[in-house]
Amino acid sequence: MLLGGKARQFIAASSANLATMMYGISVGWVSPSIPLLMSEETPLPSGPLSKTEASLISALLYMAGMVGSLSFGWLADRIGRKWALFAGTCPHIIAFLLIIFAQDVNWLYVSRVFSGLGCGALFVVLPIYVSEISEDKVRGTLGAIFCNMVSIGIVVGRCLGSYLDFYVVPYVVLCLLAVFVLTFPFFPETPQYLLLKRRESKAEKSLKRFRGAKRDVNGKMPEKFETEFEALKNSPTLTNQSNSVSWEDFKPYTTKKAIFISLVLISGRSICGVLPLDNYTASVLRESGSTWDANLGAIIVGLFELLGSNLAIVFVERWGRRTILIVSSLGSAFCLSIMGALFLLRSVGVDMSAYGWLSVAAFSGQMTLAAIGIVAIPFSVSAEILPPKLRGIVCTGFLMFYWVLTFVIVNFFLLFAEVCGMYTPMWCFTGWCLFEFIFVYLYLPETKGKNFEEIVLALQGKET
């Protein structure tokens, strides 16, 4: 029996997102591994790491991510979304091979740089690939798989780092990478990219594959398929344009508005606090005064983050992107404010050992609510609202900024908390979440179930 179009799109998006799990593992692995590497029981022959070295291991991934986003974003417009994404797994393979042979911190530095290159590739190419293979009605759901696989990777990374030998973990990760390498090449390039490159017959074959369309007994394609393909061919954003990008492409009001919205939403993934809290979960839980086992608490928080990612998949097409972002940003602000209050009380000498459950609950609540919207939706929304011709270059530029911003926040998070108190960064994250709530409420149109032309009208403030 032939698979339906939505099933084919789901399988293709899931296969592509197997690579995304590597980013989650690279982040989740840090939480249990850094305390081990800093202890006297460190597996490195060179001895324990210093606090500065440990912070740099956490943060280097994000600086290298900038280079990965730049290079693979350019590559996505040259060799296609599919093969750029496939090539993006090579740095991950090198990264985990380096861990196997690591003798001192320098091996880990280089490993994290390669991990960052691979993560940068995923963040810029994968949302574009998934958006361009998806039907309007399932585009949001398929886009949310990205965050779900990152959350799965974080939980897997924390479990592997907590309960397996340091030098065994890379072998498990390489086996997971092999699944992607063996399955993803069987899926075609995206129809929109092929049309951009004037390969109409290949674009039609690609769309047939992703829609599960076949000819009837009279040799005709389904009317729905023909309508969609004609709409793609006749779209002014895909036809009658040169492959080079000029300043004229940035002049339309709706393009400028889409770029500004994308900048705010993508920046919010970092400034909302999820990434530093993901990297230093165990340290933050210890600082809160909780008597829970730090690694176990980190895994529990990761499971709630995974719950949020799954809720995003379920509700993104029911509630819409805008509604979910409003709930996510406001809810995250509430949970972060509670965490800030708990840290403030502990800093003034209040015994918080009896409230360890509350810090874990607030932490878990923030991760769950952020994963539903602030973390899950920005990249898919950007791919929806940006003109196809500009998606690669604009997403690449914003991701460069995003990686630098995240590097700074992750690298200096512990120092900032040590100097100003852990409650200070928590309330800074709270302030951003409140800002994003107001911004989304006032400025972001709903994109659920709309094609690009309808989204352009929504950006103009016109009903569709």
Side-chain angles (χ1 to χ4, degrees), residues 13 89 141 160 174 215 224 294 325 337 360 393 406 444 452:
T89 62
T141 298
L160 294 177
L174 289 171
R215 299 185 184 277
K224 181 180 179 182
L325 280 170
S337 65
V360 174
I393 188 171
T406 304
L444 178 68
F452 181 71

Side-chain angles (χ1 to χ4, degrees), residues 154-302:
I154 290 173
V155 173
V156 170
R158 289 175 181 172
C159 290
L160 294 177
S162 297
Y163 301 112
L164 290 184
D165 182 81
F166 180 81
Y167 290 107
V168 172
V169 173
Y171 290 103
V172 178
V173 177
L174 289 171
C175 289
L176 295 174
L177 269 169
V179 178
F180 170 82
V181 171
L182 294 173
T183 59
F184 186 66
F186 293 99
F187 296 97
E189 182 56 80
T190 71
Q192 292 187 38
Y193 174 79
L194 293 170
L195 284 174
L196 281 170
K197 296 300 181 180
R198 311 290 200 275
R199 303 171 190 169
E200 186 174 318
S201 61
K202 290 186 177 181
E204 184 177 13
K205 291 178 181 178
S206 172
L207 192 62
K208 286 179 184 178
R209 286 276 303 275
F210 287 122
R211 300 299 180 264
K214 62 177 181 177
R215 299 185 184 277
D216 60 20
V217 292
N218 297 319
K220 294 183 177 180
M221 296 299 296
E223 183 179 351
K224 181 180 179 182
F225 172 85
E226 294 287 2
T227 301
E228 181 180 5
F229 189 58
E230 285 300 316
L232 277 179
K233 289 194 297 180
N234 296 326
S235 170
T237 61
L238 289 172
T239 58
N240 299 320
Q241 58 183 348
S242 63
N243 289 328
S244 61
V245 175
S246 68
W247 285 113
E248 293 297 320
D249 297 311
F250 294 88
K251 286 186 176 180
Y253 166 76
T254 54
T255 298
K256 294 177 182 177
K257 186 174 181 179
I259 289 172
F260 182 56
I261 291 172
S262 299
L263 174 62
V264 172
L265 296 184
I266 290 174
S267 299
R269 293 189 86 257
S270 179
I271 309 177
C272 75
V274 165
L275 288 172
L277 294 178
D278 263 334
N279 279 270
Y280 301 114
T281 303
S283 300
V284 172
L285 288 175
R286 289 191 184 97
E287 183 71 18
S288 71
S290 173
T291 56
W292 287 43
D293 176 79
N295 287 339
L296 177 61
I299 292 172
I300 291 173
V301 170

Side-chain angles (χ1 to χ4, degrees), residues 23-35 54-62 112 154 158 269-270 273-286 295 298 301 305 363 367 402-403 406-407 409-414:
Y23 168 68
I25 290 175
S26 298
V27 173
W29 169 83
V30 170
S31 181
S33 296
I34 289 299
S55 295
L56 194 55
I57 286 175
S58 298
L60 268 176
L61 180 148
Y62 303 103
R112 295 295 280 180
I154 290 173
R158 289 175 181 172
R269 293 189 86 257
S270 179
V274 165
L275 288 172
L277 294 178
D278 263 334
N279 279 270
Y280 301 114
T281 303
S283 300
V284 172
L285 288 175
R286 289 191 184 97
N295 287 339
V301 170
E305 189 172 357
F363 204 149
M367 288 299 190
Y402 166 80
W403 289 118
T406 304
F407 170 82
I409 292 174
V410 171
N411 195 41
F412 294 103
F413 173 77
L414 291 180

Side-chain angles (χ1 to χ4, degrees), residues 6-18 85 126 129-130 133 142 145 180 184 187-188 210:
K6 292 180 181 178
R8 287 169 179 251
Q9 293 161 51
F10 179 81
I11 292 171
S14 297
S15 175
N17 274 284
L18 286 173
L85 183 58
L126 188 98
Y129 179 84
V130 172
I133 68 171
L142 297 184
I145 294 176
F180 170 82
F184 186 66
F187 296 97
F210 287 122

Side-chain angles (χ1 to χ4, degrees), residues 105-124:
V105 69
N106 294 313
W107 289 74
L108 299 182
Y109 286 159
V110 179
S111 171
R112 295 295 280 180
V113 167
F114 276 102
S115 287
L117 292 174
C119 293
L122 294 172
F123 268 70
V124 73

